[in-house]
Amino acid sequence: MDVNSEMNKGNAVNVRKMIEQKKSSRNLNNLIEKVMPKLLFVIASISILTTVGILYTLLSETFEFFQRVPIVDFFTGTVLRPLSQDPQFGVLPLLTGTIISSVIAMFVAIPIGLMTAIFLSEYASDKVRRTLKPMLEILAGIPTIVYGFFAFTFVTPILRDIIPGLQATNILSPGIVMGIMIIPMVASLSEDAMSSVPRAMREGALALGATRLEVTGKVVIPAAISGIIASFVLGISRAIGETMIVTIASGSTKNFTFDITQSMQTMTAYIVEVTGGDAPAGSTIYYSLYAVAMTLFVFTFLMNLLARYISRRFREEY
Amino acid sequence: MKKFLMLLVMAALMVVVAACGGGSNEPAETDNPGSEDTTEDNAAEAAEDLDGSVVVDGSGTVYPLMSVVAEEYMINEQPNVSVEVSRSGTSAGFGKFLVPNGTDFNDASREIKDEELEEAEANGIEVQEFKVALDGLTFVIHPENDWAKELTEEELISIFSADGGVTKWSDIRPEFPDEEIKPMGPNENHGTYEFFYENILDKGDLVDGVNLQQEYSTLVNLVAEDKNAIAFFGFGYYVNNQDQIQAVNVDFGEGPVEPSLDTIAEDGDYAPFTRPVFTYLNVDMAKEKPQVLDFARYVVNNVNEFAGETGFAPLPESEIEEYNSFLDGLN
Amino acid sequence: MNIDTTTQTNTTPKYIDKDTVQKRMNTRLVKNNLAKGLFFVSTMFGLVVLAILIFRVFSQGIGWINIDFLTGRLSNNPDRAGIMGAILGTLWLMAVVAPVTMLLGVGTAIYLEAYAKKGKIHSFIQANISNLAGVPSIVFGILGMTIFVRALDLGGVVLAGGLTMSLLVLPIVVVASQEAIRAVPNHLSEASYGMGATKWQTIKNVILPAALPGILTGAILSLSRAIGETAPLIVIGIPALLIPFPGGLMDRFTILPVQIYYWTIDASLVAEYANLAAATIIVLLIVLFILNSTAIIIRNKFQQRF
């Protein structure tokens, strides 16, 4: 609002005119004041509509799918042959593929991410931390398709020199690369949790003669444990939802196996394969897409809830 | 002032987008010394400028051929027509083709099925079949596999068939190594699979543990690294990867035949494993949209030019004439 | 930081044996130093992989980057193929995502920070946004395919892709804007109210200008996320061969990551496609680098110190 600069002209101003002006603008202002909150509420509810939209599309089509394929068969079937003459829709091959790739990823991301967090939070000087942290963030900002390309054209050939019998498409290579992608996420969330442990607790332990390592192990990690575990859970959730790396580097064999040298398919890669551009609407395979997506959604949703619950439930109040 | 700078940054971004988007329809400039002009003087061809889009989906086997044809068409014929080529597989492609307002063309590596024709009828879609080339179903093995370079038709079938009773190479011939065979192929999304299943296995079950993949590239990699692997797919994917894999010469009873552009023909030596590949046209779309009809003409008259370089054998001239007269009848 | 290891001498040496303490202290310090080394190596692991990845991609792709590649049209022939179409598609996508996320994201943030009563509705929307942030991107792709592509019958055009991506990155913009709005000190808005300004006037003239750098940073970061995502667009449906350039919101389009995807899986068809994929990755990484640098510069330059 412009402050009226006519003030200094003093008596020459027609006061009545000014009052009129003020009144008319006040009416407009009042209208804005009334409309704005409502308008903003409508905008804010778009995010809720998105969630409702996701749930509605997934649920309605999944329901249709379970009309055709019994829910028990879906969750206990070990054979997935969506396109064959007598199609079978067992989701277990996809579940094992998803879980195994996520577990491999966490084998990489948890130890390295946690140790990185400890280094940055407990050992690194301010200057070192300020240099290293942004560089690690770059890792998180690289598009997953680039990781997929890297896994397929670089990591897989190297692994195949080391491990005989490793297939050209296998679950191990994308698992490892996915882990590398998740390192910054685990590291930065864990580091946040550790940094929020009050200095006084560290100083107290140091004053009693503890080494940095002992302070970390006996004071900082126990105090920050909820945030650290939550970062692991969020990392797993991220790995479960990852698509491009596994699509490119793990092939599309719907193996029900626990052999990590084999090609497997994850739930996300199945969705990519089946849509293949645009699945024909109305076929059972089209509906299977939604059933798989629903399973994926529920998985990641529960993981995210769990992470939030852990960080709230076990947070130590200082 | 600061606010102004911010807005400037955002505005600059938008201007870039708008500027680039504006002049989007200038004709494609090409400088390709390697290829001569491939337009055929066709009397029936209307020399008018067309625009709009043509949507092609379907077989991944036919994709390399159709995408080259589409590209040449856009460069040399109708720069303002956009031909979009996708490849979700023959069956998935039919799913998008046989619906109201579906795709214009569907490439297929097998003939359209009865139930698909019924669906077309139910939706009131008139479909016309065009053969676009001939393809040889090629069996490929690891380059260091020195025992299975020549196999008979029966031996090949026994490897892939559930009642073939073959799990190890030595089950085929005693002198072969005592190693487990790793059979693989494209998955049920592909017409190549269906051709194999229906015409060669005679709808018999595939052997347990056969590794079916969505991407041909994956199959090439799998075979290139496993001495005991054997896979089948279209000839084109073999031709492009001869440095990584070798083809099995098939004995149909008169000595081993190597799949090649000379032997792959309807009356060639490789005929038992030769199949035509198709594209299906939605005739209503061709009547409605001049660019669809025009592209159909171009495909029919030029497809033989590009067959060889994409690993297909050409069609006999008689079929091409037949298709031309059909298209002329649509005007 | 060195710890003073001299222990207080005690008059009763029975209880504390100095030698033992000294020995134990030494081993403890050695352990500490070993651990420090291990933690440092772990930290470097990620960076080394990053260096390898970038080196590998650049060495494979840099020779393929030239003006023809950057300005040319897509082609089956690797020597002729260009990525102008994918670059323009990426820009068009940004042209949809930027305004839509700014409007929705900032609007939601203002509502949550300034209007919503702290209570059920507020915490519900807040929880909902953090849940959306954790939904896998491919699920957004399915939402986009179902609603924009099929139900609204847009087809796989710029608008459908842009709206899908906008919903995907919305949480990023909302959270960044909320933090930026929260960081505006209270005394500024108090002063505004004191001058007789209304709530909306205060937001418009005081809070938003002060929070703008933070909001813009979030918006740019969300853009860089949107143009790096591949999965949702593949689900929406992008043709493998699309030669014409997109010229509007209702045109079919392709973007850089999708082009990388197709060239990577087609490398068995034509070996050079792998190099084209690497070259396209370089272009994509440079675009992302420019975007993110802009965000960081804005954050550092315009961050008002209150």
Side-chain angles (χ1 to χ4, degrees):
Chain A
M1 242 190 88
D2 284 333
V3 180
N4 220 326
S5 57
E6 314 242 335
M7 299 290 281
N8 45 18
K9 288 190 183 170
N11 312 344
V13 180
N14 184 342
V15 178
R16 181 158 299 179
K17 217 172 171 181
M18 277 175 62
I19 291 174
E20 286 295 322
Q21 266 180 356
K22 185 80 188 140
K23 262 193 182 150
S24 66
S25 72
R26 193 183 299 155
N27 286 344
L28 184 64
N29 278 335
N30 279 347
L31 187 68
I32 290 179
E33 289 303 319
K34 277 209 181 66
V35 169
M36 231 41 212
K38 292 186 175 63
L39 185 67
L40 288 170
F41 174 72
V42 169
I43 289 179
S45 55
I46 299 248
S47 68
I48 297 176
L49 279 181
T50 307
T51 310
V52 171
I54 289 176
L55 283 172
Y56 176 76
T57 50
L58 291 186
L59 279 172
S60 61
E61 310 285 26
T62 305
F63 182 75
E64 180 60 37
F65 174 76
F66 287 136
Q67 300 285 314
R68 304 174 180 212
V69 177
I71 189 162
V72 175
D73 294 6
F74 180 70
F75 283 112
T76 58
T78 56
V79 181
L80 178 62
R81 288 208 305 232
L83 293 151
S84 88
Q85 270 60 25
D86 56 318
Q88 283 174 285
F89 291 97
V91 80
L92 284 182
L94 300 183
L95 279 184
T96 51
T98 303
I99 289 166
I100 287 172
S101 61
S102 304
V103 167
I104 295 170
M106 293 333 279
F107 262 100
V108 175
I110 286 181
I112 295 179
L114 183 57
M115 290 196 281
T116 304
I118 293 172
F119 182 80
L120 291 176
S121 156
E122 304 301 315
Y123 286 90
S125 65
D126 247 2
K127 199 173 145 199
V128 171
R129 184 181 314 130
R130 271 205 300 269
T131 326
L132 290 182
K133 252 197 120 162
M135 289 168 91
L136 276 173
E137 296 297 326
I138 298 178
L139 262 183
I142 288 188
T144 59
I145 183 78
V146 178
Y147 281 113
F149 176 82
F150 183 66
F152 188 56
T153 63
F154 183 75
V155 177
T156 301
I158 287 181
L159 286 176
R160 284 176 51 209
D161 288 342
I162 303 169
I163 306 169
L166 191 71
Q167 306 267 341
T169 52
N170 59 76
I171 202 80
L172 180 62
S173 163
I176 291 173
V177 173
M178 223 153 56
I180 291 167
M181 183 186 79
I182 296 170
I183 289 173
M185 180 176 171
V186 172
S188 88
L189 289 172
S190 296
E191 198 222 341
D192 290 347
M194 290 185 207
S195 304
S196 65
V197 175
R199 274 192 79 89
M201 292 174 72
R202 286 191 188 84
E203 313 267 314
L206 288 169
L208 290 173
T211 61
R212 282 266 161 205
L213 181 64
E214 288 155 351
V215 172
T216 306
K218 298 198 166 86
V219 177
V220 178
I221 290 185
I225 193 73
S226 63
I228 292 173
I229 304 259
S231 82
F232 296 168
V233 177
L234 284 174
I236 295 172
S237 168
R238 180 75 204 275
I240 289 173
E242 168 46 42
T243 309
M244 291 328 292
I245 304 179
V246 277
T247 301
I248 288 184
S250 180
S252 54
T253 325
K254 294 147 186 69
N255 274 330
F256 181 62
T257 171
F258 293 93
D259 176 358
I260 57 173
T261 63
Q262 298 290 318
S263 157
M264 293 181 208
Q265 195 170 37
T266 63
M267 293 190 273
T268 48
Y270 175 81
I271 296 171
V272 169
E273 181 197 349
V274 171
T275 45
D278 193 358
S283 54
T284 309
I285 178 166
Y286 168 77
Y287 289 119
S288 77
L289 193 77
Y290 288 89
V292 171
M294 188 78 212
T295 314
L296 176 70
F297 179 80
V298 168
F299 253 73
T300 50
F301 180 72
L302 288 178
M303 287 284 176
N304 296 340
L305 275 191
L306 180 68
R308 219 173 314 153
Y309 172 79
I310 291 173
S311 59
R312 218 180 296 144
R313 172 83 175 65
F314 300 104
R315 171 155 304 152
E316 302 211 9
E317 298 295 346
Y318 310 110
Chain B
M1 180 64 214
K2 280 173 186 148
K3 198 159 101 177
F4 173 72
L5 270 173
M6 302 291 185
L7 288 172
L8 208 67
V9 173
M10 292 310 268
L13 199 87
M14 294 298 128
V15 167
V16 169
V17 172
C20 296
S24 67
N25 265 349
E26 76 264 21
E29 281 179 65
T30 55
D31 45 336
N32 55 35
S35 77
E36 70 273 25
D37 230 13
T38 52
T39 31
E40 299 219 345
D41 271 331
N42 198 328
E45 202 151 340
E48 56 183 322
D49 278 345
L50 298 166
D51 54 15
S53 70
V54 179
V55 183
V56 185
D57 200 343
S59 165
T61 303
V62 188
Y63 172 80
L65 175 62
M66 277 304 259
S67 64
V68 170
V69 173
E71 184 181 339
E72 292 297 326
Y73 174 77
M74 282 183 265
I75 289 170
N76 299 323
E77 289 287 313
Q78 295 287 358
N80 292 332
V81 174
S82 159
V83 184
E84 301 163 12
V85 192
S86 304
R87 44 152 195 241
S88 36
T90 302
S91 303
F94 272 124
K96 294 187 249 176
F97 177 71
L98 300 169
V99 290
N101 289 327
T103 50
D104 302 322
F105 287 86
N106 191 54
D107 299 337
S109 48
R110 57 163 170 84
E111 275 192 317
I112 191 166
K113 292 178 184 169
D114 291 341
E115 55 260 40
E116 281 160 347
L117 280 170
E118 280 160 27
E119 201 174 324
E121 217 153 295
N123 286 319
I125 297 170
E126 193 190 333
V127 175
Q128 173 63 29
E129 172 185 286
F130 296 96
K131 287 180 188 168
V132 287
L134 297 174
D135 182 26
L137 190 75
T138 307
F139 288 82
V140 293
I141 50 176
H142 190 276
E144 287 167 29
N145 178 332
D146 51 6
W147 60 88
K149 284 181 171 174
E150 294 173 1
L151 293 172
T152 68
E153 188 181 5
E154 293 75 30
E155 286 169 337
L156 277 172
I157 292 172
S158 72
I159 291 175
F160 284 90
S161 163
D163 37 23
V166 170
T167 55
K168 293 185 171 164
W169 287 107
S170 53
D171 296 343
I172 303 175
R173 295 182 204 171
E175 68 266 28
F176 285 0
D178 190 27
E179 299 270 353
E180 197 136 326
I181 304 179
K182 301 265 182 60
M184 24 188 112
N187 70 14
E188 298 94 331
N189 240 342
H190 296 280
T192 306
Y193 167 92
E194 302 197 26
F195 172 78
F196 182 76
Y197 172 81
E198 288 178 6
N199 299 30
I200 296 175
L201 288 186
D202 224 5
K203 296 202 179 179
D205 282 340
L206 258 83
V207 66
D208 267 352
V210 65
N211 186 346
L212 300 178
Q213 290 285 347
Q214 167 75 14
E215 293 297 339
Y216 288 110
S217 50
T218 314
L219 285 172
V220 172
N221 284 319
L222 288 171
V223 175
E225 67 168 29
D226 189 338
K227 272 184 94 158
N228 294 306
I230 180 163
F232 63 90
F233 40 63
F235 180 71
Y237 283 87
Y238 156 68
V239 168
N240 281 308
N241 294 288
Q242 289 185 45
D243 52 337
Q244 296 185 67
I245 50 182
Q246 60 172 339
V248 176
N249 297 348
V250 187
D251 185 344
F252 298 105
E254 294 175 5
V257 181
E258 185 189 353
S260 73
L261 291 180
D262 303 330
T263 55
I264 297 171
E266 279 172 356
D267 47 6
D269 292 341
Y270 204 74
F273 284 177
T274 294
R275 52 166 180 171
V277 292
F278 309 91
T279 189
Y280 287 85
L281 166 67
N282 181 329
V283 177
D284 309 321
M285 292 287 181
K287 286 177 182 163
E288 227 169 273
K289 299 194 264 186
Q291 71 271 24
V292 173
L293 181 59
D294 191 58
F295 181 65
R297 266 215 184 84
Y298 186 84
V299 170
V300 164
N301 290 306
N302 295 279
V303 81
N304 277 355
E305 301 260 2
F306 307 108
E309 69 185 62
T310 47
F312 292 98
L315 291 173
E317 284 296 324
S318 57
E319 305 223 12
I320 290 175
E321 277 163 33
E322 202 179 306
Y323 295 147
N324 265 324
S325 59
F326 168 81
L327 289 173
D328 290 343
L330 287 183
N331 284 6
Chain C
M1 164 165 184
N2 269 327
I3 303 151
D4 192 14
T5 58
T6 50
T7 42
Q8 287 288 326
T9 38
N10 209 308
T11 43
T12 48
K14 282 266 153 54
Y15 296 112
I16 295 178
D17 180 354
K18 265 197 193 167
D19 286 349
T20 335
V21 169
Q22 195 58 49
K23 254 194 224 136
R24 297 247 337 252
M25 195 68 220
N26 283 341
T27 54
R28 283 163 57 206
L29 282 170
V30 168
K31 268 190 197 159
N32 179 48
N33 285 333
L34 283 177
K36 181 177 178 177
L38 180 66
F39 297 152
F40 177 71
V41 168
S42 294
T43 309
M44 294 318 286
F45 173 81
L47 299 180
V48 169
V49 171
L50 178 67
I52 292 173
L53 187 152
I54 290 177
F55 174 77
R56 154 97 193 176
V57 165
F58 269 75
S59 59
Q60 191 178 351
I62 200 81
W64 288 77
I65 292 188
N66 53 41
I67 202 75
D68 287 343
F69 176 74
L70 293 175
T71 58
R73 288 168 187 267
L74 194 55
S75 165
N76 292 290
N77 176 346
D79 298 327
R80 220 163 59 188
I83 52 167
M84 194 69 203
I87 292 174
L88 290 175
T90 301
L91 289 173
W92 271 106
L93 190 77
M94 284 162 122
V96 175
V97 172
V100 173
T101 48
M102 280 295 262
L103 176 72
L104 295 183
V106 178
T108 306
I110 296 172
Y111 180 78
L112 286 175
E113 291 306 309
Y115 285 101
K117 301 209 170 32
K118 294 274 182 269
K120 280 242 161 66
I121 291 188
H122 183 279
S123 56
F124 180 68
I125 297 181
Q126 199 70 63
N128 175 51
I129 284 168
S130 53
N131 278 336
L132 275 183
V135 173
S137 61
I138 192 142
V139 174
F140 281 97
I142 290 185
L143 176 77
M145 175 186 86
T146 314
I147 292 187
F148 301 128
V149 177
R150 287 175 188 274
L152 298 180
D153 205 23
L154 295 173
V157 297
V158 173
L159 186 62
L163 290 175
T164 306
M165 286 300 189
S166 300
L167 295 181
L168 172 69
V169 298
L170 186 59
I172 302 176
V173 187
V174 173
V175 172
S177 307
Q178 277 184 285
E179 281 170 2
I181 291 172
R182 246 179 258 150
V184 177
N186 259 341
H187 61 244
L188 289 184
S189 40
E190 300 293 343
S192 170
Y193 289 132
M195 298 291 287
T198 60
K199 190 162 193 170
W200 175 244
Q201 286 167 338
T202 306
I203 291 170
K204 192 178 71 171
N205 301 325
V206 177
I207 296 181
L208 281 187
L212 197 61
I215 292 174
L216 272 185
T217 306
I220 296 175
L221 289 179
S222 76
L223 269 187
S224 72
R225 170 84 196 276
I227 64 168
E229 275 290 349
T230 324
L233 285 180
I234 290 180
V235 173
I236 281 176
I238 289 203
L241 178 80
L242 183 70
I243 292 184
F245 295 153
L249 291 182
M250 298 314 280
D251 283 358
R252 299 296 299 260
F253 73 117
T254 182
I255 65 169
L256 291 166
V258 173
Q259 205 47 58
I260 296 167
Y261 169 70
Y262 280 126
W263 271 333
T264 304
I265 58 175
D266 281 353
S268 74
L269 210 62
V270 178
E272 283 96 348
Y273 283 170
N275 305 333
L276 290 178
T280 315
I281 288 176
I282 296 174
V283 175
L284 177 64
L285 289 181
I286 288 173
V287 172
L288 290 175
F289 181 77
I290 292 171
L291 274 177
N292 291 342
S293 308
T294 315
I296 290 167
I297 288 168
I298 288 177
R299 193 163 51 193
N300 296 345
K301 268 265 184 334
F302 298 93
Q303 201 62 293
Q304 297 187 3
R305 310 259 180 268
F306 299 111

